Amino acid sequence: MYFADRTWPELDDIEERSLAVVPVGSTEQHGPHLPLATDHLIAESLAHEATDRADVLCTPTVKIGVSPHHRQFNGTMWVDPPAFRDYMESLARNLTYHGIDRIVFVNAHGGNVSHLREVGRRLRDAGDAYAIEWMWNDSIPELVDELFATNGPHGGPKETAMIQHIAPDLVREEEFETARDDGLVDFDEGGMTVHGARTFYDSIDNTDSGVLGDQTDATAEKGEQLFEAAADQLVQLLDWLADQPRDALMAKPHV
């Protein structure tokens, strides 16, 4: 249930609810074939679908995340990690004021993962809430591997297929081959590590198009499969979390 569309009297049961979802993404380059909105569109769509099914509160989407590693590409926006962590913690504490004590960050941007985990630790250590980060493709790895020969972590076929399903008008299919040919398909040949050390800091260090992976076998039909499977996993997570006793979620005492 997306509560920003409701009036405040229509949310008179908010203090009886314990669980809320916060969609989190980014606004950053995803190659010449996908919109900068890719990550936050995926997070928002999955969050709305799952919370409607599970009758769980859903907040507005956080659309700008930790993306400085894509900064060389036009239009990419980002916030510095400390500011992002503080903002997300403050947002979560807004929810605890209304009685929410468990939160799922529905995330679709890899650059946010470690920072959302840190926010969750802060909230749990303080005893205020149990907050966890959920990444859609991590919930269905077998299906992703089954559908695509070369997955690619950024701008590749899994994200391409999802946007073909969610927002087909925003996909530039005529750019698929350019994205692949100017990107990095074979990670073993990418020179991403030297003697065990990661030698890159920015996406452009590895890929001229900003793309990692081969999206030429992406389709809207595959995107629908991914979307439905991930939404189902998220609903199951929300059901599980709602059923947990609060004491089981909070930090354990010193032995």
Side-chain angles (χ1 to χ4, degrees):
M1 180 181 73
Y2 181 57
F3 70 65
D5 285 342
R6 308 298 178 98
T7 67
W8 72 262
E10 292 171 344
L11 294 172
D12 59 358
D13 68 339
I14 191 170
E15 291 187 355
E16 300 170 13
R17 295 172 177 265
S18 61
L19 175 59
V21 162
V22 181
V24 191
S26 70
T27 299
E28 63 180 27
Q29 72 84 17
H30 276 78
H33 62 300
L34 292 179
L36 278 73
T38 290
D39 286 345
H40 71 249
L41 285 174
I42 293 173
E44 184 173 79
S45 298
L46 285 169
H48 285 196
E49 178 70 19
T51 55
D52 283 348
R53 290 190 201 174
D55 190 28
V56 169
L57 294 173
C58 182
T59 74
T61 304
V62 177
K63 297 183 176 182
I64 299 174
V66 181
S67 304
H69 49 293
H70 294 295
R71 69 188 186 278
Q72 289 91 346
F73 294 93
N74 296 335
T76 292
M77 302 184 73
W78 70 92
V79 292
D80 291 332
F84 178 77
R85 291 191 294 268
D86 289 348
Y87 178 87
M88 294 304 300
E89 181 181 359
S90 179
L91 188 158
R93 291 190 188 284
N94 292 173
L95 294 172
T96 66
Y97 176 81
H98 293 293
I100 302 299
D101 68 359
R102 53 203 77 187
I103 299 165
V104 177
F105 297 121
V106 171
N107 178 42
H109 173 51
N112 294 338
V113 172
S114 62
H115 307 293
L116 293 172
R117 288 283 298 172
E118 171 60 23
V119 170
R121 172 169 285 283
R122 292 181 189 179
L123 294 166
R124 186 172 185 252
D125 286 351
D128 295 330
Y130 179 78
I132 52 175
E133 182 267 346
W134 179 85
M135 188 83 167
W136 71 271
N137 52 282
D138 289 341
S139 74
I140 51 170
E142 296 86 1
L143 180 59
V144 173
D145 287 340
E146 175 187 327
L147 291 178
F148 308 112
T150 307
N151 298 333
H154 187 77
K158 62 190 176 189
E159 289 185 325
T160 301
M162 284 286 270
I163 298 300
Q164 285 176 303
H165 171 60
I166 293 167
D169 292 346
L170 298 181
V171 180
R172 283 71 165 172
E173 294 189 1
E174 70 278 5
E175 296 289 345
F176 279 7
E177 291 186 4
T178 298
R180 177 198 62 197
D181 295 344
D182 291 345
L184 179 62
V185 175
D186 188 341
F187 302 154
D188 292 336
E189 297 179 0
M192 301 173 83
T193 62
V194 176
H195 301 301
R198 291 178 56 168
T199 56
F200 65 95
Y201 282 93
D202 297 326
S203 177
I204 203 169
D205 294 337
N206 300 312
T207 165
D208 292 337
S209 70
V211 173
L212 299 171
D214 181 0
Q215 60 290 317
T216 56
D217 62 346
T219 66
E221 291 73 23
K222 292 180 180 180
E224 184 177 12
Q225 285 183 259
L226 295 172
F227 184 88
E228 292 300 326
D232 184 62
Q233 288 293 309
L234 180 53
V235 169
Q236 292 184 59
L237 173 63
L238 297 176
D239 289 344
W240 171 84
L241 188 53
D243 288 342
Q244 300 307 301
R246 190 179 193 280
D247 289 346
L249 298 173
M250 291 296 104
K252 304 300 184 287
H254 190 282
V255 295

